[in-house]
């Protein structure tokens, strides 16, 4: 097997670095809540920790059902040729729509703040080669849990129920 034939090797996601990245996504989630929206935030990073883009769910604010946190962060990052060395960081397990975005563009890593309030497609992503790190962050879980309790109709619309 030649070097060109070998699978791309990248360093594994480290919990400490991932926690620092999650802080940016959590800021975005809080920003979304302050705007009257659903408190889910995301950020796209390079493996080296460079912030490429950030965003939050803006479905309510912009009356746009496609503007989830992950899509906002992805759009904010701008166009790239390759996403294999990128890490999508999100406060909540990504829904199927956002999981599809990660898979479509072959984003190499996924850091998830929590999957208590909702479990999306992160197991499917892991089965298909995305490195997944679930942090089970209490702040992420509490922020969304409080929102769901106060706005169940908006929440169930957001997740397609």
């Amino acid at each position: 097997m030649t070097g060109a034939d070998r699978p791309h090797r990248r360093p594994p996601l480290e919990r400490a670095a991932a926690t620092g990245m999650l802080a940016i996504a959590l800021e975005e989630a809080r920003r979304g809540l302050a705007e009257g929206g659903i408190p889910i935030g995301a950020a796209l990073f390079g493996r080296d920790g460079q912030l490429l883009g950030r965003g939050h769910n803006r479905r309510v604010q912009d009356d746009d059902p496609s503007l989830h946190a992950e899509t906002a962060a992805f759009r904010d990052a701008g166009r790239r040729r390759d996403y294999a060395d990128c890490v999508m960081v999100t406060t909540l397990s990504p829904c199927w729509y956002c999981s599809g975005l990660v898979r479509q563009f072959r984003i190499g890593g996924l850091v998830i703040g929590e999957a208590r309030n909702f479990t999306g497609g992160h197991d499917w992503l892991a089965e298909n080669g995305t490195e997944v790190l679930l942090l089970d962050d209490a702040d992420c879980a509490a922020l969304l849990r409080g929102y769901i309790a106060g706005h169940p109709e908006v929440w169930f619309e957001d997740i397609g129920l």
Side-chain angles (χ1 to χ4, degrees), residues 70-139:
E70 296 87 345
T71 58
F74 186 75
R75 289 173 179 170
D76 187 54
R79 187 172 160 208
R80 301 176 61 86
R81 172 68 183 102
D82 185 18
Y83 295 88
D85 284 333
C86 292
V87 179
M88 179 64 76
V89 181
T90 181
T91 57
L92 180 67
S93 176
C95 68
W96 285 107
Y97 171 62
C98 295
S99 294
L101 179 142
V102 170
R103 180 80 173 111
Q104 171 71 29
F105 291 95
R106 295 184 177 101
I107 295 172
L110 174 65
V111 172
I112 302 164
E114 66 105 351
R116 298 179 202 178
N117 288 298
F118 175 78
T119 300
H122 69 264
D123 287 337
W124 173 74
L125 286 167
E127 290 166 8
N128 285 282
T130 303
E131 182 182 5
V132 176
L133 178 58
L134 175 58
L135 296 176
D136 194 29
D137 182 83
D139 290 338

Side-chain angles (χ1 to χ4, degrees), residues 13-95:
L13 293 169
E14 295 179 7
R15 188 170 195 82
T19 300
M21 293 174 181
L22 181 62
I24 301 297
L26 191 52
E27 283 177 19
E28 287 294 326
R30 290 181 175 129
R31 182 174 293 147
L33 181 62
E35 294 173 357
I38 301 165
I40 302 170
L44 188 66
F45 287 88
R47 273 284 166 165
D48 61 359
Q50 178 187 4
L51 177 63
L52 304 172
R54 58 192 292 166
H56 51 276
N57 186 301
R58 296 193 52 84
R59 293 182 74 252
V60 173
Q61 300 92 310
D62 292 358
D63 197 28
D64 180 348
S66 70
L67 202 42
H68 289 207
E70 296 87 345
T71 58
F74 186 75
R75 289 173 179 170
D76 187 54
R79 187 172 160 208
R80 301 176 61 86
R81 172 68 183 102
D82 185 18
Y83 295 88
D85 284 333
C86 292
V87 179
M88 179 64 76
V89 181
T90 181
T91 57
L92 180 67
S93 176
C95 68

